[in-house]
Amino acid sequence: MDTVGGTILVAVILAAIVAAIIYKLVKDKKQGKSSCGGSCGCCPNSSRCHRS
Amino acid sequence: MMPLTFANVGEENMIKKVGGKPETRKFLENLGFVAGGTVTVVSTIGGNVIVKVKESRVAVSKEMAAKIMV
Amino acid sequence: MEIKIALAGNPNCGKTTLFNALTGSNQFVGNWPGVTVEKKEGKLKGHKDVVIMDLPGIYSLSPYTLEEVVARNYLISERPDAILNIIDGTNLERNLYLTTQLVELGIPVVVAINMMDVVKKNGDKINTDQLAKELGCQVCEISALKGTGIKEAAELAVKAAESKVPMVPQHSFNGVVEHAIAHIEEAFLNDVAEEQQRWYAIKIFERDEKVIEQLGMSEQVKTHIEKDICAAEKEMDDDSESIITNERYIYIASIIKDCYKKKNQGGLTTSDKIDKIVTNRWLGLPIFAVVMFLVYYISMVTVGSAATDWANDGLFGDGWHLFGIGSSDAEDAADEYGSSLDIINAFIEQQGGEAIDNEADDFDVDAAKATADNLLATVDKSATADYTVEDEETLEETTETAKYADLKAAVAAAEKYDFADPDPADYGVWVPGIPVLIESGLDAVNCADWLKGLILDGIVAGVGAVLGFVPQMLVLFILLAILEACGYMARIAFVMDRIFRKFGLSGKSFIPILIGTGCGIPGIMASRTIENERDRRMTVMTTTFIPCGAKTPFIAMIAGAIFGGSAWVATGAYFIGIAAIIISGIMLKKTKMFAGDPAPFVMELPAYHIPTVGNVLRSMWERGWSFIKKAGTIITLSTIFVWFTSYFGWVDGSFGMLTEDQMEYSILAHIGKAICWIFAPLGWGNWQATVAAVTGLVAKENIVGTMGILYGGGDGSVYSAIGAAFTGITGMSFLIFNLLCAPCFAAMGAIKREMNSRKWFWFAIGYECGFAYVIALIVNQLGNLFTGKVNVIGLIFAIALIALIIYMLVRPYKESTKLEKDVKVGANA
């Protein structure tokens, strides 16, 4: 594999990963998920936050 | 009749009256602090108390405890 | 047709556990409109059209707290098809208080008694059939934690919903009250559906403001009804609300008598006994201090740092031995070889010869051997030579003296290993580090250098630095989860309340802080338990001062690079965080904006119980996974951005890719230099530190990632480069600034949501950054006093700021401004 081919291959893979990341971030934002793990489904402290 | 803050630890007392603003009273009543009910002090720390009331454990600060007369 | 079932019950009764079990992952979480109360909906597993609505935990349907209002509004206006009422079997009396109100709504009710396993263990007996008869609805037993009876409870609820038979309460109040209620129904409620009339009538009797408003009663009717109510009050010598409350408890007492047999009458339970010690006025605080110290010691220092070293040097470094196979052999070899070459070279140089360079291109092992043998033969047996030893970790250099015997051993060792440092890869099972693997992969496809650089020096370096901390995070999360699950966290708030009250705060403000040590976002959201609006805002503003999980990496980095890995740095960071919160609390409480007595502290304490392994692991994994996910997403993007902007720039007027030495000219450097002067008074006015701090706003882990890229190029390790760029004082100042300034974007989003107001959001951010700046400046300027490099203007500012802070701390409390409470549900507060 020559340099250009190899570079393009790696670059394309990288671009795909970045696109996937951005897509995931936007989707999470829409669902209102926080970086903690999604509005308190995560916490054992959920009983502390909202009396649910 | 004395405020809950003065009750002895481990003693079961009967609540004679719950004072305070209507909202405060209602709130306390919802938790089980009703006239005629019993309350036992589990622990006290600087006037704040932890009590057993209606089978559950509630932590109450000094100001609130003072409104509960036993 | 869709069936709606509402889950109602006290807080802490296991509702959420049940909800999760019934809906699995088919949940949707949002907010009730206009309020910060969470709304949870989900589809019942195994049913096509059944929706379960998890209502907030409430003690009653009174109109006094936000949760109660939200819950009852839902029940009245949306009229679910059935209510599944969960009650805590170990706490029957108080839980039934809500039940008696639910059955008055006219909606079919199914009662599920939870925690039956605990009830049975305590030896208590509940007669569910009798209970069902007395309440007039179905009663079943479940244990949400263990998973028993859940499906049956759901089925009962679905059947009740499908049957559409309205709930008829079995209970009547005493004659006087019933009389008044009948009057009310007659006078006013003819237009209301029959099964709902009773609930409304009772509420009107209690003078429930919200109901009265909702029904739009005319003044005439109000006066008429008022007469009835007053008559009843006079006869029973009590106000209407208390009358109803008392009636309910009398009813409940009679139920309990018939249905509930308790094994131990009275006396203190185990939980009570534990509480006596743990919340004891003398022991409470010290116990808490010990517990928290243990938590951080175990996670950060012992388990944590060992794992992080492996991650940083091994997994993301050169490599590591699988299961440690071969590592002791490699270590022995390394010890044996030790400083052999240095010793040999020391003697050679002493003799005026040329040192052996085993990295030179023309290095020849045999020639080196010959030189060494020759040296051994010719050197004076009593001669000594000095050589320096550099410690890998601390970069400390010590001088050692070698004697002839040392030289002999050195030559033997060097010859054994062919004058090369033993390669650990030759011993046992060696797994190359990820960077090595990726590099060889990239080389195999002949990837261009710049792209290789982006991937290795950018992404892998940045993300790897962050991921290296995952082990520590996991341990910390487990410990915090255990603390919370066993019930101790609630007690802590109570213990701290006494202290906090002295500063005008309530102990409830402490819980968000404690949660914030894991992640600031749930900490900020935990402020919802604070009823007092002002206290709540203040708590939201100061919660992020405490180091969160994401801040630990850069704290550890500064500790390792500048302070020789001292454990005190991390401990100190926590103390600084707490001190910042307390100082802020006191200062702000004395301003007009926040003044006012703290809300009285009333909190139910759940019984202690052994946390289930499953739960603890699950919550640790969820948090840990989101940490990793963050690394894979936001941080990856950030590192790519940082890499591009730091490896591309203008050199001699032309734009292009730069080498590591030329970072000064990069895009990033230009941006950084434009603003780095702001931080000059803090002691770190260089562009690298500035840029790192700014990237920290996206995610605090970025600070480590960015510095990994910016300081990673060139000779020496990242740590040594950082160690060279900062002094102890400036390092401290940098640490403090990043610790206290505004949190990451995600946390800022949480602040914005909780504050529900732009003005407050910006005030919070502004305060945090301002406070961080001031403290860091003071530390730097005062610190310089000790090192002798005094900057007069800076010092004057620092002293002035200290004086200002002291003034704000000691001035007398002001009278609070009138607190207007806007409780309109549906409007933005």
mmCIF file of all heavy atoms in Angstrom, chain A residues 1 3 6-7 10-11 14 21 24 28 35-36 39 41-45 47-52, chain C residues 15-16 38 56-57 445-446 448 451 454-455 484 511 521-522 528-529 622-623 626 629 632-633:
data_model
loop_
_atom_site.group_PDB
_atom_site.id
_atom_site.type_symbol
_atom_site.label_atom_id
_atom_site.label_comp_id
_atom_site.label_asym_id
_atom_site.label_seq_id
_atom_site.Cartn_x
_atom_site.Cartn_y
_atom_site.Cartn_z
ATOM 1 N N MET A 1 0.854 -1.209 0.000
ATOM 2 C CA MET A 1 0.000 0.000 0.000
ATOM 3 C C MET A 1 0.871 1.234 0.000
ATOM 4 O O MET A 1 1.728 1.376 0.845
ATOM 5 C CB MET A 1 -0.831 -0.003 1.287
ATOM 6 C CG MET A 1 -2.273 -0.284 1.029
ATOM 7 S SD MET A 1 -3.247 0.252 2.415
ATOM 8 C CE MET A 1 -4.831 -0.307 1.877
ATOM 9 N N THR A 3 1.770 5.360 0.166
ATOM 10 C CA THR A 3 1.487 6.358 1.202
ATOM 11 C C THR A 3 0.126 7.009 1.034
ATOM 12 O O THR A 3 -0.643 7.128 1.961
ATOM 13 C CB THR A 3 2.567 7.459 1.181
ATOM 14 O OG1 THR A 3 3.847 6.832 1.325
ATOM 15 C CG2 THR A 3 2.333 8.411 2.343
ATOM 16 N N GLY A 6 -2.693 4.614 1.847
ATOM 17 C CA GLY A 6 -2.796 4.331 3.274
ATOM 18 C C GLY A 6 -3.360 5.518 4.040
ATOM 19 O O GLY A 6 -4.210 5.385 4.912
ATOM 20 N N THR A 7 -2.863 6.693 3.660
ATOM 21 C CA THR A 7 -3.328 7.892 4.350
ATOM 22 C C THR A 7 -4.813 8.087 4.150
ATOM 23 O O THR A 7 -5.543 8.384 5.092
ATOM 24 C CB THR A 7 -2.577 9.133 3.817
ATOM 25 O OG1 THR A 7 -1.184 8.874 3.904
ATOM 26 C CG2 THR A 7 -2.949 10.337 4.625
ATOM 27 N N VAL A 10 -6.839 5.677 6.307
ATOM 28 C CA VAL A 10 -6.890 6.055 7.714
ATOM 29 C C VAL A 10 -7.738 7.309 7.905
ATOM 30 O O VAL A 10 -8.542 7.403 8.831
ATOM 31 C CB VAL A 10 -5.466 6.294 8.260
ATOM 32 C CG1 VAL A 10 -5.540 6.808 9.677
ATOM 33 C CG2 VAL A 10 -4.672 5.005 8.207
ATOM 34 N N ALA A 11 -7.570 8.263 6.977
ATOM 35 C CA ALA A 11 -8.325 9.515 7.110
ATOM 36 C C ALA A 11 -9.818 9.265 7.017
ATOM 37 O O ALA A 11 -10.606 9.847 7.766
ATOM 38 C CB ALA A 11 -7.879 10.504 6.029
ATOM 39 N N LEU A 14 -11.055 7.740 10.194
ATOM 40 C CA LEU A 14 -11.099 8.755 11.236
ATOM 41 C C LEU A 14 -12.300 9.669 11.073
ATOM 42 O O LEU A 14 -13.024 9.964 12.022
ATOM 43 C CB LEU A 14 -9.802 9.580 11.186
ATOM 44 C CG LEU A 14 -9.537 10.428 12.424
ATOM 45 C CD1 LEU A 14 -9.501 9.558 13.646
ATOM 46 C CD2 LEU A 14 -8.246 11.191 12.282
ATOM 47 N N ILE A 21 -19.319 10.252 16.291
ATOM 48 C CA ILE A 21 -19.282 10.917 17.591
ATOM 49 C C ILE A 21 -20.240 12.098 17.616
ATOM 50 O O ILE A 21 -21.050 12.247 18.537
ATOM 51 C CB ILE A 21 -17.856 11.413 17.918
ATOM 52 C CG1 ILE A 21 -16.927 10.236 18.138
ATOM 53 C CG2 ILE A 21 -17.880 12.305 19.137
ATOM 54 C CD1 ILE A 21 -15.509 10.646 18.431
ATOM 55 N N LYS A 24 -23.816 11.036 17.715
ATOM 56 C CA LYS A 24 -24.199 10.536 19.041
ATOM 57 C C LYS A 24 -24.423 11.693 19.998
ATOM 58 O O LYS A 24 -25.363 11.705 20.779
ATOM 59 C CB LYS A 24 -23.084 9.619 19.557
ATOM 60 C CG LYS A 24 -23.465 8.843 20.784
ATOM 61 C CD LYS A 24 -24.057 7.483 20.418
ATOM 62 C CE LYS A 24 -24.986 6.946 21.500
ATOM 63 N NZ LYS A 24 -24.432 6.985 22.824
ATOM 64 N N ASP A 28 -27.906 12.536 21.950
ATOM 65 C CA ASP A 28 -28.002 12.570 23.409
ATOM 66 C C ASP A 28 -28.537 13.904 23.881
ATOM 67 O O ASP A 28 -29.332 13.991 24.799
ATOM 68 C CB ASP A 28 -26.624 12.320 24.038
ATOM 69 C CG ASP A 28 -26.310 10.833 24.081
ATOM 70 O OD1 ASP A 28 -27.217 10.051 23.782
ATOM 71 O OD2 ASP A 28 -25.170 10.474 24.401
ATOM 72 N N SER A 35 -24.141 14.168 30.877
ATOM 73 C CA SER A 35 -22.969 13.326 30.766
ATOM 74 C C SER A 35 -22.795 12.428 31.974
ATOM 75 O O SER A 35 -21.838 11.705 32.090
ATOM 76 C CB SER A 35 -21.720 14.192 30.598
ATOM 77 O OG SER A 35 -21.399 14.773 31.833
ATOM 78 N N CYS A 36 -23.750 12.501 32.873
ATOM 79 C CA CYS A 36 -23.637 11.620 34.019
ATOM 80 C C CYS A 36 -24.086 10.239 33.603
ATOM 81 O O CYS A 36 -23.578 9.249 34.058
ATOM 82 C CB CYS A 36 -24.475 12.136 35.174
ATOM 83 S SG CYS A 36 -25.773 11.033 35.723
ATOM 84 N N SER A 39 -30.133 11.663 32.920
ATOM 85 C CA SER A 39 -31.052 12.170 33.941
ATOM 86 C C SER A 39 -31.409 11.208 35.044
ATOM 87 O O SER A 39 -32.543 10.814 35.181
ATOM 88 C CB SER A 39 -32.343 12.676 33.297
ATOM 89 O OG SER A 39 -32.036 13.409 32.167
ATOM 90 N N GLY A 41 -31.197 8.097 35.872
ATOM 91 C CA GLY A 41 -31.465 6.670 35.907
ATOM 92 C C GLY A 41 -30.218 6.049 36.510
ATOM 93 O O GLY A 41 -30.223 4.965 37.073
ATOM 94 N N CYS A 42 -29.138 6.858 36.429
ATOM 95 C CA CYS A 42 -27.828 6.368 36.842
ATOM 96 C C CYS A 42 -27.662 6.310 38.334
ATOM 97 O O CYS A 42 -27.269 5.303 38.889
ATOM 98 C CB CYS A 42 -26.755 7.289 36.266
ATOM 99 S SG CYS A 42 -26.978 9.004 36.734
ATOM 100 N N CYS A 43 -27.990 7.430 38.956
ATOM 101 C CA CYS A 43 -27.608 7.601 40.350
ATOM 102 C C CYS A 43 -28.311 6.677 41.310
ATOM 103 O O CYS A 43 -29.503 6.493 41.238
ATOM 104 C CB CYS A 43 -27.950 9.017 40.782
ATOM 105 S SG CYS A 43 -26.585 10.096 40.562
ATOM 106 N N PRO A 44 -27.562 6.168 42.241
ATOM 107 C CA PRO A 44 -28.242 5.550 43.369
ATOM 108 C C PRO A 44 -28.823 6.674 44.206
ATOM 109 O O PRO A 44 -29.627 6.461 45.092
ATOM 110 C CB PRO A 44 -27.117 4.845 44.120
ATOM 111 C CG PRO A 44 -25.907 5.617 43.787
ATOM 112 C CD PRO A 44 -26.108 6.139 42.401
ATOM 113 N N ASN A 45 -28.374 7.894 43.895
ATOM 114 C CA ASN A 45 -28.850 9.037 44.651
ATOM 115 C C ASN A 45 -30.162 9.571 44.135
ATOM 116 O O ASN A 45 -30.572 10.636 44.521
ATOM 117 C CB ASN A 45 -27.838 10.189 44.553
ATOM 118 C CG ASN A 45 -26.472 9.755 45.006
ATOM 119 O OD1 ASN A 45 -26.322 9.208 46.065
ATOM 120 N ND2 ASN A 45 -25.480 9.992 44.185
ATOM 121 N N SER A 47 -33.008 8.956 44.754
ATOM 122 C CA SER A 47 -34.014 9.231 45.779
ATOM 123 C C SER A 47 -33.691 10.539 46.483
ATOM 124 O O SER A 47 -34.531 11.150 47.105
ATOM 125 C CB SER A 47 -34.066 8.093 46.795
ATOM 126 O OG SER A 47 -32.761 7.874 47.303
ATOM 127 N N ARG A 48 -32.458 10.966 46.373
ATOM 128 C CA ARG A 48 -32.046 12.194 47.025
ATOM 129 C C ARG A 48 -32.433 13.400 46.180
ATOM 130 O O ARG A 48 -32.792 14.440 46.687
ATOM 131 C CB ARG A 48 -30.520 12.160 47.218
ATOM 132 C CG ARG A 48 -30.072 12.738 48.501
ATOM 133 C CD ARG A 48 -30.725 12.125 49.696
ATOM 134 N NE ARG A 48 -30.359 10.750 49.896
ATOM 135 C CZ ARG A 48 -31.079 9.885 50.581
ATOM 136 N NH1 ARG A 48 -32.197 10.235 51.103
ATOM 137 N NH2 ARG A 48 -30.682 8.664 50.739
ATOM 138 N N CYS A 49 -32.298 13.237 44.872
ATOM 139 C CA CYS A 49 -32.527 14.366 43.984
ATOM 140 C C CYS A 49 -33.991 14.739 43.897
ATOM 141 O O CYS A 49 -34.366 15.864 44.069
ATOM 142 C CB CYS A 49 -32.084 14.034 42.562
ATOM 143 S SG CYS A 49 -30.386 13.578 42.423
ATOM 144 N N HIS A 50 -34.807 13.774 43.519
ATOM 145 C CA HIS A 50 -36.213 14.086 43.364
ATOM 146 C C HIS A 50 -36.968 12.999 44.082
ATOM 147 O O HIS A 50 -36.737 11.829 43.849
ATOM 148 C CB HIS A 50 -36.640 14.104 41.908
ATOM 149 C CG HIS A 50 -35.560 13.646 41.006
ATOM 150 N ND1 HIS A 50 -34.936 14.468 40.125
ATOM 151 C CD2 HIS A 50 -34.960 12.452 40.894
ATOM 152 C CE1 HIS A 50 -34.013 13.787 39.505
ATOM 153 N NE2 HIS A 50 -34.000 12.576 39.945
ATOM 154 N N ARG A 51 -37.881 13.352 44.902
ATOM 155 C CA ARG A 51 -38.530 12.367 45.738
ATOM 156 C C ARG A 51 -39.441 11.512 44.879
ATOM 157 O O ARG A 51 -40.619 11.732 44.788
ATOM 158 C CB ARG A 51 -39.310 13.073 46.821
ATOM 159 C CG ARG A 51 -38.399 14.115 47.385
ATOM 160 C CD ARG A 51 -38.751 14.484 48.775
ATOM 161 N NE ARG A 51 -39.181 15.855 48.807
ATOM 162 C CZ ARG A 51 -40.260 16.239 49.441
ATOM 163 N NH1 ARG A 51 -41.021 15.367 50.045
ATOM 164 N NH2 ARG A 51 -40.586 17.479 49.448
ATOM 165 N N SER A 52 -38.826 10.556 44.230
ATOM 166 C CA SER A 52 -39.579 9.757 43.278
ATOM 167 C C SER A 52 -39.686 8.325 43.732
ATOM 168 O O SER A 52 -38.687 7.682 43.945
ATOM 169 C CB SER A 52 -38.879 9.824 41.931
ATOM 170 O OG SER A 52 -39.820 9.771 40.912
ATOM 171 N N LYS C 15 -40.546 2.805 44.749
ATOM 172 C CA LYS C 15 -41.309 3.047 43.531
ATOM 173 C C LYS C 15 -40.432 3.005 42.292
ATOM 174 O O LYS C 15 -40.775 2.383 41.293
ATOM 175 C CB LYS C 15 -41.964 4.438 43.641
ATOM 176 C CG LYS C 15 -43.292 4.506 43.002
ATOM 177 C CD LYS C 15 -44.150 5.608 43.590
ATOM 178 C CE LYS C 15 -43.422 6.853 43.970
ATOM 179 N NZ LYS C 15 -42.856 7.511 42.800
ATOM 180 N N THR C 16 -39.301 3.675 42.397
ATOM 181 C CA THR C 16 -38.423 3.743 41.237
ATOM 182 C C THR C 16 -37.887 2.372 40.865
ATOM 183 O O THR C 16 -37.808 2.023 39.693
ATOM 184 C CB THR C 16 -37.242 4.688 41.522
ATOM 185 O OG1 THR C 16 -37.751 5.926 41.986
ATOM 186 C CG2 THR C 16 -36.437 4.890 40.276
ATOM 187 N N GLU C 38 -39.226 15.865 37.968
ATOM 188 C CA GLU C 38 -38.989 14.925 36.898
ATOM 189 C C GLU C 38 -40.237 14.148 36.533
ATOM 190 O O GLU C 38 -41.021 13.765 37.402
ATOM 191 C CB GLU C 38 -37.916 13.955 37.351
ATOM 192 C CG GLU C 38 -37.239 13.259 36.215
ATOM 193 C CD GLU C 38 -36.240 12.256 36.745
ATOM 194 O OE1 GLU C 38 -36.688 11.330 37.432
ATOM 195 O OE2 GLU C 38 -35.052 12.425 36.493
ATOM 196 N N PRO C 56 -44.059 11.596 41.201
ATOM 197 C CA PRO C 56 -43.054 11.911 42.230
ATOM 198 C C PRO C 56 -43.484 11.335 43.569
ATOM 199 O O PRO C 56 -44.683 11.191 43.833
ATOM 200 C CB PRO C 56 -43.070 13.436 42.285
ATOM 201 C CG PRO C 56 -43.780 13.883 41.075
ATOM 202 C CD PRO C 56 -44.645 12.787 40.605
ATOM 203 N N GLY C 57 -42.535 11.013 44.403
ATOM 204 C CA GLY C 57 -42.859 10.472 45.714
ATOM 205 C C GLY C 57 -43.538 11.538 46.546
ATOM 206 O O GLY C 57 -43.072 12.665 46.631
ATOM 207 N N VAL C 445 0.240 0.469 6.887
ATOM 208 C CA VAL C 445 -0.481 0.949 5.707
ATOM 209 C C VAL C 445 0.159 2.205 5.140
ATOM 210 O O VAL C 445 -0.416 2.887 4.302
ATOM 211 C CB VAL C 445 -1.963 1.233 6.027
ATOM 212 C CG1 VAL C 445 -2.666 -0.026 6.430
ATOM 213 C CG2 VAL C 445 -2.087 2.288 7.072
ATOM 214 N N ASN C 446 1.354 2.496 5.626
ATOM 215 C CA ASN C 446 2.068 3.636 5.076
ATOM 216 C C ASN C 446 1.305 4.942 5.212
ATOM 217 O O ASN C 446 1.193 5.713 4.277
ATOM 218 C CB ASN C 446 2.358 3.411 3.577
ATOM 219 C CG ASN C 446 3.711 2.753 3.411
ATOM 220 O OD1 ASN C 446 4.647 3.124 4.102
ATOM 221 N ND2 ASN C 446 3.784 1.787 2.547
ATOM 222 N N ALA C 448 0.515 8.658 6.131
ATOM 223 C CA ALA C 448 1.369 9.849 6.100
ATOM 224 C C ALA C 448 1.710 10.303 7.507
ATOM 225 O O ALA C 448 0.966 10.066 8.445
ATOM 226 C CB ALA C 448 0.653 10.972 5.355
ATOM 227 N N LEU C 451 -0.870 12.605 9.511
ATOM 228 C CA LEU C 451 -2.048 11.910 10.023
ATOM 229 C C LEU C 451 -1.664 11.021 11.195
ATOM 230 O O LEU C 451 -2.368 10.892 12.196
ATOM 231 C CB LEU C 451 -2.684 11.071 8.916
ATOM 232 C CG LEU C 451 -4.083 10.530 9.225
ATOM 233 C CD1 LEU C 451 -4.996 11.682 9.623
ATOM 234 C CD2 LEU C 451 -4.651 9.801 8.021
ATOM 235 N N LEU C 454 -1.490 13.208 14.080
ATOM 236 C CA LEU C 454 -2.812 13.528 14.626
ATOM 237 C C LEU C 454 -3.323 12.400 15.503
ATOM 238 O O LEU C 454 -3.803 12.609 16.611
ATOM 239 C CB LEU C 454 -3.795 13.776 13.473
ATOM 240 C CG LEU C 454 -5.278 13.789 13.872
ATOM 241 C CD1 LEU C 454 -5.530 14.918 14.831
ATOM 242 C CD2 LEU C 454 -6.149 13.965 12.650
ATOM 243 N N ILE C 455 -3.156 11.186 14.987
ATOM 244 C CA ILE C 455 -3.715 10.059 15.742
ATOM 245 C C ILE C 455 -2.884 9.776 16.983
ATOM 246 O O ILE C 455 -3.417 9.626 18.076
ATOM 247 C CB ILE C 455 -3.792 8.809 14.845
ATOM 248 C CG1 ILE C 455 -4.785 9.071 13.716
ATOM 249 C CG2 ILE C 455 -4.208 7.607 15.658
ATOM 250 C CD1 ILE C 455 -4.967 7.909 12.793
ATOM 251 N N GLU C 484 -24.116 5.573 49.513
ATOM 252 C CA GLU C 484 -25.466 6.029 49.266
ATOM 253 C C GLU C 484 -26.467 4.917 49.477
ATOM 254 O O GLU C 484 -27.489 5.095 50.107
ATOM 255 C CB GLU C 484 -25.555 6.547 47.828
ATOM 256 C CG GLU C 484 -26.958 6.720 47.320
ATOM 257 C CD GLU C 484 -27.747 7.728 48.117
ATOM 258 O OE1 GLU C 484 -27.141 8.703 48.579
ATOM 259 O OE2 GLU C 484 -28.959 7.530 48.279
ATOM 260 N N ILE C 511 -25.829 17.674 50.793
ATOM 261 C CA ILE C 511 -25.956 16.471 49.973
ATOM 262 C C ILE C 511 -25.505 16.706 48.538
ATOM 263 O O ILE C 511 -24.746 15.903 47.992
ATOM 264 C CB ILE C 511 -27.404 15.960 49.994
ATOM 265 C CG1 ILE C 511 -27.773 15.612 51.423
ATOM 266 C CG2 ILE C 511 -27.554 14.760 49.096
ATOM 267 C CD1 ILE C 511 -29.145 15.046 51.571
ATOM 268 N N ILE C 521 -22.990 17.111 37.962
ATOM 269 C CA ILE C 521 -24.337 17.264 37.414
ATOM 270 C C ILE C 521 -25.414 16.678 38.315
ATOM 271 O O ILE C 521 -26.370 17.369 38.645
ATOM 272 C CB ILE C 521 -24.395 16.670 35.994
ATOM 273 C CG1 ILE C 521 -23.472 17.499 35.103
ATOM 274 C CG2 ILE C 521 -25.806 16.720 35.453
ATOM 275 C CD1 ILE C 521 -23.039 16.803 33.882
ATOM 276 N N PRO C 522 -25.313 15.437 38.747
ATOM 277 C CA PRO C 522 -26.324 14.987 39.702
ATOM 278 C C PRO C 522 -26.267 15.783 40.991
ATOM 279 O O PRO C 522 -27.281 15.941 41.664
ATOM 280 C CB PRO C 522 -25.970 13.516 39.944
ATOM 281 C CG PRO C 522 -24.620 13.319 39.419
ATOM 282 C CD PRO C 522 -24.426 14.333 38.346
ATOM 283 N N ARG C 528 -32.619 20.035 44.293
ATOM 284 C CA ARG C 528 -34.072 20.144 44.242
ATOM 285 C C ARG C 528 -34.741 19.849 45.572
ATOM 286 O O ARG C 528 -35.882 20.223 45.781
ATOM 287 C CB ARG C 528 -34.636 19.186 43.203
ATOM 288 C CG ARG C 528 -34.321 19.631 41.808
ATOM 289 C CD ARG C 528 -34.919 18.701 40.811
ATOM 290 N NE ARG C 528 -34.406 18.986 39.490
ATOM 291 C CZ ARG C 528 -34.707 18.285 38.431
ATOM 292 N NH1 ARG C 528 -35.510 17.267 38.535
ATOM 293 N NH2 ARG C 528 -34.208 18.601 37.259
ATOM 294 N N THR C 529 -34.034 19.149 46.453
ATOM 295 C CA THR C 529 -34.661 18.827 47.737
ATOM 296 C C THR C 529 -34.722 20.043 48.647
ATOM 297 O O THR C 529 -35.347 20.004 49.686
ATOM 298 C CB THR C 529 -33.888 17.733 48.479
ATOM 299 O OG1 THR C 529 -32.537 18.167 48.616
ATOM 300 C CG2 THR C 529 -33.934 16.442 47.714
ATOM 301 N N GLU C 622 -22.552 2.438 35.396
ATOM 302 C CA GLU C 622 -23.190 3.508 34.627
ATOM 303 C C GLU C 622 -22.368 4.768 34.657
ATOM 304 O O GLU C 622 -22.144 5.405 33.642
ATOM 305 C CB GLU C 622 -24.586 3.784 35.194
ATOM 306 C CG GLU C 622 -25.626 2.899 34.560
ATOM 307 C CD GLU C 622 -26.989 3.174 35.152
ATOM 308 O OE1 GLU C 622 -27.141 4.224 35.778
ATOM 309 O OE2 GLU C 622 -27.870 2.334 34.982
ATOM 310 N N ARG C 623 -21.906 5.137 35.844
ATOM 311 C CA ARG C 623 -21.102 6.346 35.917
ATOM 312 C C ARG C 623 -19.766 6.159 35.223
ATOM 313 O O ARG C 623 -19.286 7.038 34.530
ATOM 314 C CB ARG C 623 -20.857 6.692 37.372
ATOM 315 C CG ARG C 623 -21.996 7.427 37.990
ATOM 316 C CD ARG C 623 -21.697 7.524 39.426
ATOM 317 N NE ARG C 623 -22.410 8.519 40.122
ATOM 318 C CZ ARG C 623 -22.217 8.760 41.402
ATOM 319 N NH1 ARG C 623 -21.322 8.067 42.043
ATOM 320 N NH2 ARG C 623 -22.895 9.678 42.021
ATOM 321 N N SER C 626 -20.180 6.321 31.512
ATOM 322 C CA SER C 626 -20.391 7.658 30.961
ATOM 323 C C SER C 626 -19.079 8.444 30.975
ATOM 324 O O SER C 626 -18.846 9.286 30.113
ATOM 325 C CB SER C 626 -21.476 8.399 31.728
ATOM 326 O OG SER C 626 -20.950 8.917 32.911
ATOM 327 N N LYS C 629 -17.406 7.144 27.966
ATOM 328 C CA LYS C 629 -18.092 7.638 26.782
ATOM 329 C C LYS C 629 -17.690 9.077 26.515
ATOM 330 O O LYS C 629 -17.441 9.478 25.389
ATOM 331 C CB LYS C 629 -19.608 7.547 27.004
ATOM 332 C CG LYS C 629 -20.355 7.100 25.777
ATOM 333 C CD LYS C 629 -21.780 6.775 26.085
ATOM 334 C CE LYS C 629 -22.572 8.009 26.408
ATOM 335 N NZ LYS C 629 -24.018 7.759 26.308
ATOM 336 N N GLY C 632 -14.540 9.156 24.883
ATOM 337 C CA GLY C 632 -14.586 8.761 23.488
ATOM 338 C C GLY C 632 -15.221 9.802 22.592
ATOM 339 O O GLY C 632 -15.017 9.814 21.400
ATOM 340 N N THR C 633 -16.012 10.672 23.180
ATOM 341 C CA THR C 633 -16.713 11.616 22.315
ATOM 342 C C THR C 633 -16.177 13.037 22.443
ATOM 343 O O THR C 633 -15.311 13.452 21.682
ATOM 344 C CB THR C 633 -18.218 11.606 22.629
ATOM 345 O OG1 THR C 633 -18.371 11.868 24.035
ATOM 346 C CG2 THR C 633 -18.828 10.283 22.294
#
